[in-house]
PDB file of all heavy atoms in Angstrom:
ATOM      1  N   ASP B 617      62.909 -25.243 -48.567  1.00 92.00           N
ATOM      2  CA  ASP B 617      63.456 -24.232 -49.468  1.00 92.00           C
ATOM      3  C   ASP B 617      63.460 -24.742 -50.907  1.00 92.00           C
ATOM      4  O   ASP B 617      63.038 -24.034 -51.831  1.00 92.00           O
ATOM      5  CB  ASP B 617      64.871 -23.860 -49.025  1.00 92.00           C
ATOM      6  CG  ASP B 617      65.448 -22.699 -49.800  1.00 92.00           C
ATOM      7  OD1 ASP B 617      64.779 -21.640 -49.866  1.00 92.00           O
ATOM      8  OD2 ASP B 617      66.555 -22.852 -50.341  1.00 92.00           O
ATOM      9  N   ALA B 618      63.911 -25.980 -51.096  1.00 93.00           N
ATOM     10  CA  ALA B 618      63.914 -26.559 -52.446  1.00 93.00           C
ATOM     11  C   ALA B 618      62.486 -26.707 -52.980  1.00 93.00           C
ATOM     12  O   ALA B 618      62.211 -26.402 -54.153  1.00 93.00           O
ATOM     13  CB  ALA B 618      64.621 -27.918 -52.432  1.00 93.00           C
ATOM     14  N   LEU B 619      61.578 -27.150 -52.125  1.00 92.00           N
ATOM     15  CA  LEU B 619      60.182 -27.306 -52.532  1.00 92.00           C
ATOM     16  C   LEU B 619      59.579 -25.962 -52.945  1.00 92.00           C
ATOM     17  O   LEU B 619      58.934 -25.848 -53.993  1.00 92.00           O
ATOM     18  CB  LEU B 619      59.379 -27.931 -51.391  1.00 92.00           C
ATOM     19  CG  LEU B 619      57.911 -28.224 -51.660  1.00 92.00           C
ATOM     20  CD1 LEU B 619      57.775 -29.339 -52.686  1.00 92.00           C
ATOM     21  CD2 LEU B 619      57.211 -28.607 -50.368  1.00 92.00           C
ATOM     22  N   CYS B 620      59.808 -24.941 -52.140  1.00 90.00           N
ATOM     23  CA  CYS B 620      59.255 -23.613 -52.443  1.00 90.00           C
ATOM     24  C   CYS B 620      59.871 -23.030 -53.707  1.00 90.00           C
ATOM     25  O   CYS B 620      59.165 -22.435 -54.530  1.00 90.00           O
ATOM     26  CB  CYS B 620      59.471 -22.671 -51.260  1.00 90.00           C
ATOM     27  SG  CYS B 620      58.440 -23.074 -49.838  1.00 90.00           S
ATOM     28  N   HIS B 621      61.170 -23.173 -53.867  1.00 91.00           N
ATOM     29  CA  HIS B 621      61.808 -22.670 -55.087  1.00 91.00           C
ATOM     30  C   HIS B 621      61.295 -23.413 -56.323  1.00 91.00           C
ATOM     31  O   HIS B 621      61.106 -22.807 -57.381  1.00 91.00           O
ATOM     32  CB  HIS B 621      63.333 -22.779 -54.983  1.00 91.00           C
ATOM     33  CG  HIS B 621      63.948 -21.642 -54.230  1.00 91.00           C
ATOM     34  ND1 HIS B 621      64.135 -21.687 -52.873  1.00 91.00           N
ATOM     35  CD2 HIS B 621      64.380 -20.425 -54.632  1.00 91.00           C
ATOM     36  CE1 HIS B 621      64.678 -20.559 -52.479  1.00 91.00           C
ATOM     37  NE2 HIS B 621      64.833 -19.769 -53.519  1.00 91.00           N
ATOM     38  N   ASP B 622      61.073 -24.697 -56.186  1.00 91.00           N
ATOM     39  CA  ASP B 622      60.547 -25.479 -57.303  1.00 91.00           C
ATOM     40  C   ASP B 622      59.162 -24.979 -57.704  1.00 91.00           C
ATOM     41  O   ASP B 622      58.889 -24.743 -58.875  1.00 91.00           O
ATOM     42  CB  ASP B 622      60.506 -26.958 -56.913  1.00 91.00           C
ATOM     43  CG  ASP B 622      60.034 -27.845 -58.043  1.00 91.00           C
ATOM     44  OD1 ASP B 622      60.458 -27.616 -59.196  1.00 91.00           O
ATOM     45  OD2 ASP B 622      59.239 -28.763 -57.772  1.00 91.00           O
ATOM     46  N   TRP B 623      58.299 -24.799 -56.727  1.00 89.00           N
ATOM     47  CA  TRP B 623      56.939 -24.321 -57.015  1.00 89.00           C
ATOM     48  C   TRP B 623      56.965 -22.888 -57.538  1.00 89.00           C
ATOM     49  O   TRP B 623      56.203 -22.525 -58.428  1.00 89.00           O
ATOM     50  CB  TRP B 623      56.073 -24.401 -55.755  1.00 89.00           C
ATOM     51  CG  TRP B 623      55.482 -25.750 -55.529  1.00 89.00           C
ATOM     52  CD1 TRP B 623      56.128 -26.953 -55.544  1.00 89.00           C
ATOM     53  CD2 TRP B 623      54.115 -26.034 -55.251  1.00 89.00           C
ATOM     54  NE1 TRP B 623      55.255 -27.965 -55.270  1.00 89.00           N
ATOM     55  CE2 TRP B 623      54.007 -27.426 -55.093  1.00 89.00           C
ATOM     56  CE3 TRP B 623      52.986 -25.255 -55.094  1.00 89.00           C
ATOM     57  CZ2 TRP B 623      52.812 -28.053 -54.804  1.00 89.00           C
ATOM     58  CZ3 TRP B 623      51.794 -25.867 -54.799  1.00 89.00           C
ATOM     59  CH2 TRP B 623      51.712 -27.258 -54.662  1.00 89.00           C
ATOM     60  N   ALA B 624      57.831 -22.055 -56.963  1.00 87.00           N
ATOM     61  CA  ALA B 624      57.874 -20.645 -57.370  1.00 87.00           C
ATOM     62  C   ALA B 624      58.373 -20.486 -58.807  1.00 87.00           C
ATOM     63  O   ALA B 624      57.977 -19.557 -59.509  1.00 87.00           O
ATOM     64  CB  ALA B 624      58.765 -19.859 -56.420  1.00 87.00           C
ATOM     65  N   ALA B 625      59.221 -21.375 -59.259  1.00 89.00           N
ATOM     66  CA  ALA B 625      59.772 -21.269 -60.612  1.00 89.00           C
ATOM     67  C   ALA B 625      58.861 -21.899 -61.663  1.00 89.00           C
ATOM     68  O   ALA B 625      59.123 -21.788 -62.865  1.00 89.00           O
ATOM     69  CB  ALA B 625      61.140 -21.945 -60.652  1.00 89.00           C
ATOM     70  N   TRP B 626      57.822 -22.525 -61.240  1.00 90.00           N
ATOM     71  CA  TRP B 626      56.935 -23.259 -62.133  1.00 90.00           C
ATOM     72  C   TRP B 626      55.999 -22.280 -62.849  1.00 90.00           C
ATOM     73  O   TRP B 626      55.310 -21.469 -62.231  1.00 90.00           O
ATOM     74  CB  TRP B 626      56.156 -24.257 -61.290  1.00 90.00           C
ATOM     75  CG  TRP B 626      55.416 -25.313 -61.986  1.00 90.00           C
ATOM     76  CD1 TRP B 626      55.582 -25.757 -63.259  1.00 90.00           C
ATOM     77  CD2 TRP B 626      54.362 -26.096 -61.416  1.00 90.00           C
ATOM     78  NE1 TRP B 626      54.716 -26.765 -63.527  1.00 90.00           N
ATOM     79  CE2 TRP B 626      53.944 -26.994 -62.399  1.00 90.00           C
ATOM     80  CE3 TRP B 626      53.747 -26.131 -60.179  1.00 90.00           C
ATOM     81  CZ2 TRP B 626      52.927 -27.919 -62.197  1.00 90.00           C
ATOM     82  CZ3 TRP B 626      52.746 -27.041 -59.971  1.00 90.00           C
ATOM     83  CH2 TRP B 626      52.349 -27.923 -60.976  1.00 90.00           C
ATOM     84  N   ASP B 627      55.941 -22.338 -64.178  1.00 92.00           N
ATOM     85  CA  ASP B 627      55.110 -21.420 -64.967  1.00 92.00           C
ATOM     86  C   ASP B 627      53.636 -21.501 -64.579  1.00 92.00           C
ATOM     87  O   ASP B 627      52.944 -20.480 -64.558  1.00 92.00           O
ATOM     88  CB  ASP B 627      55.261 -21.708 -66.468  1.00 92.00           C
ATOM     89  CG  ASP B 627      56.637 -21.322 -66.987  1.00 92.00           C
ATOM     90  OD1 ASP B 627      57.314 -20.514 -66.319  1.00 92.00           O
ATOM     91  OD2 ASP B 627      57.036 -21.827 -68.054  1.00 92.00           O
ATOM     92  N   ASP B 628      53.159 -22.695 -64.275  1.00 93.00           N
ATOM     93  CA  ASP B 628      51.754 -22.839 -63.884  1.00 93.00           C
ATOM     94  C   ASP B 628      51.444 -22.074 -62.590  1.00 93.00           C
ATOM     95  O   ASP B 628      50.348 -21.538 -62.424  1.00 93.00           O
ATOM     96  CB  ASP B 628      51.389 -24.316 -63.704  1.00 93.00           C
ATOM     97  CG  ASP B 628      51.322 -25.063 -65.021  1.00 93.00           C
ATOM     98  OD1 ASP B 628      51.304 -24.406 -66.080  1.00 93.00           O
ATOM     99  OD2 ASP B 628      51.286 -26.310 -64.987  1.00 93.00           O
ATOM    100  N   THR B 629      52.413 -22.037 -61.670  1.00 93.00           N
ATOM    101  CA  THR B 629      52.209 -21.296 -60.428  1.00 93.00           C
ATOM    102  C   THR B 629      52.143 -19.802 -60.723  1.00 93.00           C
ATOM    103  O   THR B 629      51.306 -19.086 -60.155  1.00 93.00           O
ATOM    104  CB  THR B 629      53.330 -21.607 -59.414  1.00 93.00           C
ATOM    105  OG1 THR B 629      53.379 -23.018 -59.186  1.00 93.00           O
ATOM    106  CG2 THR B 629      53.086 -20.904 -58.092  1.00 93.00           C
ATOM    107  N   TYR B 630      53.019 -19.326 -61.612  1.00 91.00           N
ATOM    108  CA  TYR B 630      52.962 -17.915 -62.006  1.00 91.00           C
ATOM    109  C   TYR B 630      51.591 -17.582 -62.587  1.00 91.00           C
ATOM    110  O   TYR B 630      50.984 -16.560 -62.254  1.00 91.00           O
ATOM    111  CB  TYR B 630      54.041 -17.594 -63.051  1.00 91.00           C
ATOM    112  CG  TYR B 630      55.345 -17.163 -62.448  1.00 91.00           C
ATOM    113  CD1 TYR B 630      56.352 -18.087 -62.169  1.00 91.00           C
ATOM    114  CD2 TYR B 630      55.582 -15.832 -62.169  1.00 91.00           C
ATOM    115  CE1 TYR B 630      57.549 -17.699 -61.616  1.00 91.00           C
ATOM    116  CE2 TYR B 630      56.794 -15.418 -61.626  1.00 91.00           C
ATOM    117  CZ  TYR B 630      57.770 -16.355 -61.351  1.00 91.00           C
ATOM    118  OH  TYR B 630      58.955 -15.958 -60.809  1.00 91.00           O
ATOM    119  N   ALA B 631      51.108 -18.441 -63.464  1.00 94.00           N
ATOM    120  CA  ALA B 631      49.800 -18.208 -64.078  1.00 94.00           C
ATOM    121  C   ALA B 631      48.697 -18.228 -63.019  1.00 94.00           C
ATOM    122  O   ALA B 631      47.762 -17.425 -63.074  1.00 94.00           O
ATOM    123  CB  ALA B 631      49.530 -19.263 -65.153  1.00 94.00           C
ATOM    124  N   PHE B 632      48.809 -19.111 -62.046  1.00 95.00           N
ATOM    125  CA  PHE B 632      47.811 -19.208 -60.981  1.00 95.00           C
ATOM    126  C   PHE B 632      47.802 -17.945 -60.124  1.00 95.00           C
ATOM    127  O   PHE B 632      46.742 -17.483 -59.711  1.00 95.00           O
ATOM    128  CB  PHE B 632      48.083 -20.444 -60.124  1.00 95.00           C
ATOM    129  CG  PHE B 632      47.086 -20.660 -59.033  1.00 95.00           C
ATOM    130  CD1 PHE B 632      45.807 -21.111 -59.322  1.00 95.00           C
ATOM    131  CD2 PHE B 632      47.414 -20.425 -57.703  1.00 95.00           C
ATOM    132  CE1 PHE B 632      44.864 -21.322 -58.319  1.00 95.00           C
ATOM    133  CE2 PHE B 632      46.494 -20.632 -56.691  1.00 95.00           C
ATOM    134  CZ  PHE B 632      45.216 -21.078 -57.000  1.00 95.00           C
ATOM    135  N   VAL B 633      48.973 -17.381 -59.865  1.00 94.00           N
ATOM    136  CA  VAL B 633      49.042 -16.152 -59.067  1.00 94.00           C
ATOM    137  C   VAL B 633      48.385 -14.998 -59.820  1.00 94.00           C
ATOM    138  O   VAL B 633      47.654 -14.195 -59.248  1.00 94.00           O
ATOM    139  CB  VAL B 633      50.499 -15.817 -58.687  1.00 94.00           C
ATOM    140  CG1 VAL B 633      50.606 -14.416 -58.080  1.00 94.00           C
ATOM    141  CG2 VAL B 633      51.048 -16.851 -57.716  1.00 94.00           C
ATOM    142  N   ASP B 634      48.627 -14.937 -61.131  1.00 93.00           N
ATOM    143  CA  ASP B 634      48.024 -13.866 -61.942  1.00 93.00           C
ATOM    144  C   ASP B 634      46.509 -14.012 -62.031  1.00 93.00           C
ATOM    145  O   ASP B 634      45.775 -13.030 -61.918  1.00 93.00           O
ATOM    146  CB  ASP B 634      48.623 -13.858 -63.346  1.00 93.00           C
ATOM    147  CG  ASP B 634      50.014 -13.248 -63.366  1.00 93.00           C
ATOM    148  OD1 ASP B 634      50.350 -12.502 -62.420  1.00 93.00           O
ATOM    149  OD2 ASP B 634      50.764 -13.517 -64.323  1.00 93.00           O
ATOM    150  N   ALA B 635      46.055 -15.227 -62.264  1.00 93.00           N
ATOM    151  CA  ALA B 635      44.613 -15.474 -62.419  1.00 93.00           C
ATOM    152  C   ALA B 635      44.315 -16.885 -61.921  1.00 93.00           C
ATOM    153  O   ALA B 635      44.462 -17.857 -62.676  1.00 93.00           O
ATOM    154  CB  ALA B 635      44.208 -15.331 -63.882  1.00 93.00           C
ATOM    155  N   PRO B 636      43.926 -17.019 -60.652  1.00 93.00           N
ATOM    156  CA  PRO B 636      43.661 -18.351 -60.092  1.00 93.00           C
ATOM    157  C   PRO B 636      42.625 -19.119 -60.914  1.00 93.00           C
ATOM    158  O   PRO B 636      41.643 -18.550 -61.360  1.00 93.00           O
ATOM    159  CB  PRO B 636      43.124 -18.049 -58.696  1.00 93.00           C
ATOM    160  CG  PRO B 636      43.650 -16.701 -58.366  1.00 93.00           C
ATOM    161  CD  PRO B 636      43.726 -15.958 -59.662  1.00 93.00           C
ATOM    162  N   TYR B 637      42.909 -20.394 -61.142  1.00 93.00           N
ATOM    163  CA  TYR B 637      41.983 -21.225 -61.899  1.00 93.00           C
ATOM    164  C   TYR B 637      41.863 -22.595 -61.235  1.00 93.00           C
ATOM    165  O   TYR B 637      42.776 -23.079 -60.579  1.00 93.00           O
ATOM    166  CB  TYR B 637      42.393 -21.324 -63.372  1.00 93.00           C
ATOM    167  CG  TYR B 637      43.799 -21.825 -63.620  1.00 93.00           C
ATOM    168  CD1 TYR B 637      44.025 -23.151 -63.962  1.00 93.00           C
ATOM    169  CD2 TYR B 637      44.904 -20.972 -63.535  1.00 93.00           C
ATOM    170  CE1 TYR B 637      45.305 -23.616 -64.208  1.00 93.00           C
ATOM    171  CE2 TYR B 637      46.181 -21.429 -63.776  1.00 93.00           C
ATOM    172  CZ  TYR B 637      46.382 -22.748 -64.113  1.00 93.00           C
ATOM    173  OH  TYR B 637      47.645 -23.212 -64.355  1.00 93.00           O
ATOM    174  N   ASP B 638      40.677 -23.178 -61.413  1.00 94.00           N
ATOM    175  CA  ASP B 638      40.312 -24.412 -60.715  1.00 94.00           C
ATOM    176  C   ASP B 638      41.195 -25.594 -61.062  1.00 94.00           C
ATOM    177  O   ASP B 638      41.497 -26.413 -60.191  1.00 94.00           O
ATOM    178  CB  ASP B 638      38.851 -24.773 -61.000  1.00 94.00           C
ATOM    179  CG  ASP B 638      37.883 -23.794 -60.357  1.00 94.00           C
ATOM    180  OD1 ASP B 638      38.293 -23.124 -59.379  1.00 94.00           O
ATOM    181  OD2 ASP B 638      36.743 -23.693 -60.826  1.00 94.00           O
ATOM    182  N   GLU B 639      41.637 -25.712 -62.293  1.00 94.00           N
ATOM    183  CA  GLU B 639      42.437 -26.875 -62.700  1.00 94.00           C
ATOM    184  C   GLU B 639      43.738 -26.952 -61.885  1.00 94.00           C
ATOM    185  O   GLU B 639      44.155 -28.023 -61.454  1.00 94.00           O
ATOM    186  CB  GLU B 639      42.763 -26.839 -64.198  1.00 94.00           C
ATOM    187  CG  GLU B 639      41.561 -26.995 -65.101  1.00 94.00           C
ATOM    188  CD  GLU B 639      40.822 -25.669 -65.332  1.00 94.00           C
ATOM    189  OE1 GLU B 639      41.415 -24.579 -65.133  1.00 94.00           O
ATOM    190  OE2 GLU B 639      39.638 -25.738 -65.674  1.00 94.00           O
ATOM    191  N   TYR B 640      44.387 -25.798 -61.721  1.00 94.00           N
ATOM    192  CA  TYR B 640      45.628 -25.766 -60.937  1.00 94.00           C
ATOM    193  C   TYR B 640      45.330 -26.162 -59.492  1.00 94.00           C
ATOM    194  O   TYR B 640      46.030 -26.988 -58.916  1.00 94.00           O
ATOM    195  CB  TYR B 640      46.247 -24.367 -60.978  1.00 94.00           C
ATOM    196  CG  TYR B 640      47.542 -24.263 -60.213  1.00 94.00           C
ATOM    197  CD1 TYR B 640      48.753 -24.522 -60.831  1.00 94.00           C
ATOM    198  CD2 TYR B 640      47.561 -23.926 -58.854  1.00 94.00           C
ATOM    199  CE1 TYR B 640      49.949 -24.432 -60.129  1.00 94.00           C
ATOM    200  CE2 TYR B 640      48.739 -23.841 -58.150  1.00 94.00           C
ATOM    201  CZ  TYR B 640      49.935 -24.090 -58.797  1.00 94.00           C
ATOM    202  OH  TYR B 640      51.111 -24.016 -58.095  1.00 94.00           O
ATOM    203  N   ARG B 641      44.300 -25.550 -58.936  1.00 94.00           N
ATOM    204  CA  ARG B 641      43.921 -25.819 -57.545  1.00 94.00           C
ATOM    205  C   ARG B 641      43.594 -27.302 -57.363  1.00 94.00           C
ATOM    206  O   ARG B 641      44.079 -27.939 -56.426  1.00 94.00           O
ATOM    207  CB  ARG B 641      42.719 -24.952 -57.172  1.00 94.00           C
ATOM    208  CG  ARG B 641      42.376 -24.972 -55.716  1.00 94.00           C
ATOM    209  CD  ARG B 641      41.213 -24.056 -55.370  1.00 94.00           C
ATOM    210  NE  ARG B 641      41.436 -22.695 -55.816  1.00 94.00           N
ATOM    211  CZ  ARG B 641      40.664 -22.057 -56.700  1.00 94.00           C
ATOM    212  NH1 ARG B 641      39.611 -22.642 -57.218  1.00 94.00           N
ATOM    213  NH2 ARG B 641      40.940 -20.828 -57.061  1.00 94.00           N
ATOM    214  N   ASP B 642      42.800 -27.864 -58.262  1.00 93.00           N
ATOM    215  CA  ASP B 642      42.371 -29.261 -58.129  1.00 93.00           C
ATOM    216  C   ASP B 642      43.528 -30.239 -58.283  1.00 93.00           C
ATOM    217  O   ASP B 642      43.607 -31.243 -57.570  1.00 93.00           O
ATOM    218  CB  ASP B 642      41.285 -29.578 -59.159  1.00 93.00           C
ATOM    219  CG  ASP B 642      39.998 -28.802 -58.895  1.00 93.00           C
ATOM    220  OD1 ASP B 642      39.832 -28.290 -57.769  1.00 93.00           O
ATOM    221  OD2 ASP B 642      39.185 -28.701 -59.838  1.00 93.00           O
ATOM    222  N   SER B 643      44.432 -29.952 -59.195  1.00 93.00           N
ATOM    223  CA  SER B 643      45.501 -30.923 -59.458  1.00 93.00           C
ATOM    224  C   SER B 643      46.733 -30.735 -58.570  1.00 93.00           C
ATOM    225  O   SER B 643      47.529 -31.662 -58.418  1.00 93.00           O
ATOM    226  CB  SER B 643      45.920 -30.872 -60.927  1.00 93.00           C
ATOM    227  OG  SER B 643      46.460 -29.605 -61.242  1.00 93.00           O
ATOM    228  N   ASN B 644      46.897 -29.562 -57.957  1.00 93.00           N
ATOM    229  CA  ASN B 644      48.133 -29.304 -57.213  1.00 93.00           C
ATOM    230  C   ASN B 644      47.950 -28.992 -55.734  1.00 93.00           C
ATOM    231  O   ASN B 644      48.916 -29.072 -54.978  1.00 93.00           O
ATOM    232  CB  ASN B 644      48.888 -28.132 -57.851  1.00 93.00           C
ATOM    233  CG  ASN B 644      49.329 -28.444 -59.244  1.00 93.00           C
ATOM    234  OD1 ASN B 644      50.084 -29.377 -59.466  1.00 93.00           O
ATOM    235  ND2 ASN B 644      48.844 -27.675 -60.205  1.00 93.00           N
ATOM    236  N   LEU B 645      46.763 -28.630 -55.330  1.00 93.00           N
ATOM    237  CA  LEU B 645      46.596 -28.137 -53.965  1.00 93.00           C
ATOM    238  C   LEU B 645      45.633 -28.974 -53.135  1.00 93.00           C
ATOM    239  O   LEU B 645      45.056 -28.494 -52.166  1.00 93.00           O
ATOM    240  CB  LEU B 645      46.136 -26.672 -54.006  1.00 93.00           C
ATOM    241  CG  LEU B 645      47.100 -25.725 -54.722  1.00 93.00           C
ATOM    242  CD1 LEU B 645      46.494 -24.344 -54.860  1.00 93.00           C
ATOM    243  CD2 LEU B 645      48.444 -25.671 -54.026  1.00 93.00           C
TER     244      LEU B 645
END
């Protein structure tokens, strides 16, 4: 729950949901 809330509140995750980009995927996933 803490992990998911942390990721969900992260601005980069919001940006990734709106428009997925490789940098986020490569560095976080």
Side-chain angles (χ1 to χ4, degrees):
D617 187 53
L619 183 68
C620 289
H621 278 90
D622 183 42
W623 276 50
W626 193 19
D627 290 340
D628 289 347
T629 303
Y630 270 92
F632 182 73
V633 170
D634 284 340
Y637 56 99
D638 291 338
E639 293 84 20
Y640 181 89
R641 189 178 305 119
D642 294 343
S643 63
N644 296 300
L645 301 173

